[in-house]
Amino acid sequence: MPTFPAPDGTRLAFHERGEGEPLIVLPGGPMRASAYLGNLGGLDAHRRLVLLDLRGTGESGVPADPATYRCDRLVDDVEALRIRLGLERMDLLAHSAGGSLALLYAARYPRRIARLALVTATPWALGWPATADDRRTAARMRASEPWFAEAFPAFEAWLDGSGDFDPVFVPFFHGRWDDTARAHADREEAETNDEAADVYGGDGAYDPEATRDALARLAAPVLVLAGGADGGPSPALARRTVGVFPHAECVVQPGAGHYPWLDDPEWFTRRVSAFFS
């Protein structure tokens, strides 16, 4: 397992899957070990995936200063990975909360980005969170599912702040609630650093106006991929994100939730590999 030092000396790890030109992958969660990404539905057949374990997750070390879990401070770790790989420019894919890290990196180091893909990434760094209405609308699309009647009231309570997160409504985050999705969801708690997650988007992490201004000058092509059944981000929010960039496109994977490579691996890998080819 390759490792490298972050600028503050924290030892960071990454995992490689497949062969060929590297595609750097930033995990979401926030602060979930990259293991949950697997091989991104078979994308490793097209590119060599370089999956970064963010500090304090997976095989990476725990920093001396927990404040360095903040999203804007993780940008230095991504740049250290680029240098470790010896890349002048890199193709970058980010999932979910990792999308905000990728946006901050692209804003700070625009000339280091060859191509950028944001996969079901709510653009917190742009100041645009997913709304409760977005999530309710997507959830109601699942009304015919056998688990809906039990899950929806708990989901509503979580959205309006009257209830805590409840595993009963995890199916709403998946386009297909099958054995693969269940196994994937069951690993989440063990793979996530909750302390780090609380810091990730803390005060000072984002400067949305400055980030939007910087990304308006990004020369690299950008792909924003949304799931048709995902409420965070909804397809509408993904399309709004596209408007920030001068060279971007939005695609919506039909019926997909927040983990589209699980819902339809062939569709996902075909579309993403075409973008990076």
Side-chain angles (χ1 to χ4, degrees), residues 71-72 75 99-109 125 205-207 211:
C71 186
D72 59 321
V75 170
S100 284
L101 176 54
L103 291 169
L104 295 186
Y105 180 86
R108 193 182 303 178
Y109 296 104
Y206 306 128
D207 184 343
T211 301

Side-chain angles (χ1 to χ4, degrees), residues 80-104:
L81 174 60
R82 182 195 65 81
I83 294 170
R84 164 65 173 79
L85 295 171
L87 300 173
E88 181 67 21
R89 297 193 306 155
M90 62 182 179
D91 285 342
L92 185 63
L93 182 151
H95 173 244
S96 190
S100 284
L101 176 54
L103 291 169
L104 295 186

Side-chain angles (χ1 to χ4, degrees), residues 149-164:
E150 180 182 8
F152 190 71
F155 193 53
E156 285 254 70
W158 178 63
L159 291 173
D160 67 23
S162 63
D164 295 327

Side-chain angles (χ1 to χ4, degrees), residues 1 17-18 28 30 82 124 137 141 248:
M1 177 193 59
R17 296 186 173 89
R82 182 195 65 81
W124 297 97
T137 298
M141 294 168 59

Side-chain angles (χ1 to χ4, degrees), residues 29-261:
M31 304 306 286
R32 185 172 178 180
S34 66
Y36 83 94
L37 296 162
N39 66 356
L40 286 172
L43 192 59
D44 61 339
H46 304 271
R47 296 292 293 267
R48 173 163 58 98
L49 305 182
V50 179
L51 302 134
L52 177 63
D53 278 340
L54 300 178
R55 55 179 54 216
T57 72
E59 302 298 328
S60 287
V62 175
D65 181 4
T68 61
Y69 289 135
R70 206 173 70 177
C71 186
D72 59 321
R73 300 186 68 176
L74 295 175
V75 170
D76 290 334
D77 293 353
V78 180
E79 175 64 359
L81 174 60
R82 182 195 65 81
I83 294 170
R84 164 65 173 79
L85 295 171
L87 300 173
E88 181 67 21
R89 297 193 306 155
M90 62 182 179
D91 285 342
L92 185 63
L93 182 151
H95 173 244
S96 190
S100 284
L101 176 54
L103 291 169
L104 295 186
Y105 180 86
R108 193 182 303 178
Y109 296 104
R111 295 182 181 178
R112 299 304 186 186
I113 298 289
R115 282 165 289 196
L116 170 63
L118 302 172
V119 176
T120 59
T122 298
W124 297 97
L126 304 179
W128 300 334
T131 68
D133 284 343
D134 287 341
R135 295 187 183 277
R136 286 191 191 95
T137 298
R140 289 190 179 104
M141 294 168 59
R142 316 296 295 281
S144 63
E145 301 278 1
W147 43 263
F148 179 87
E150 180 182 8
F152 190 71
F155 193 53
E156 285 254 70
W158 178 63
L159 291 173
D160 67 23
S162 63
D164 295 327
F165 189 93
D166 189 329
V168 74
F169 57 69
V170 167
F172 287 126
F173 296 93
H174 295 265
R176 296 189 307 181
W177 188 237
D178 54 14
D179 289 343
T180 298
R182 290 185 185 91
H184 189 267
D186 286 345
R187 298 194 304 270
E188 183 171 5
E189 184 175 357
E191 292 174 342
T192 302
N193 182 333
D194 290 330
E195 176 193 4
D198 289 341
V199 177
Y200 187 84
D203 290 344
Y206 306 128
D207 184 343
E209 184 175 355
T211 301
R212 292 195 298 268
D213 287 346
L215 294 175
R217 298 185 293 275
L218 183 68
V222 178
L223 175 70
V224 181
L225 189 150
D230 193 12
S234 66
L237 183 52
R239 294 185 185 99
R240 184 182 185 190
T241 301
V242 163
V244 169
F245 304 99
H247 310 291
E249 60 177 316
C250 177
V251 297
V252 178
Q253 182 171 326
H258 200 60
Y259 307 94
W261 64 91

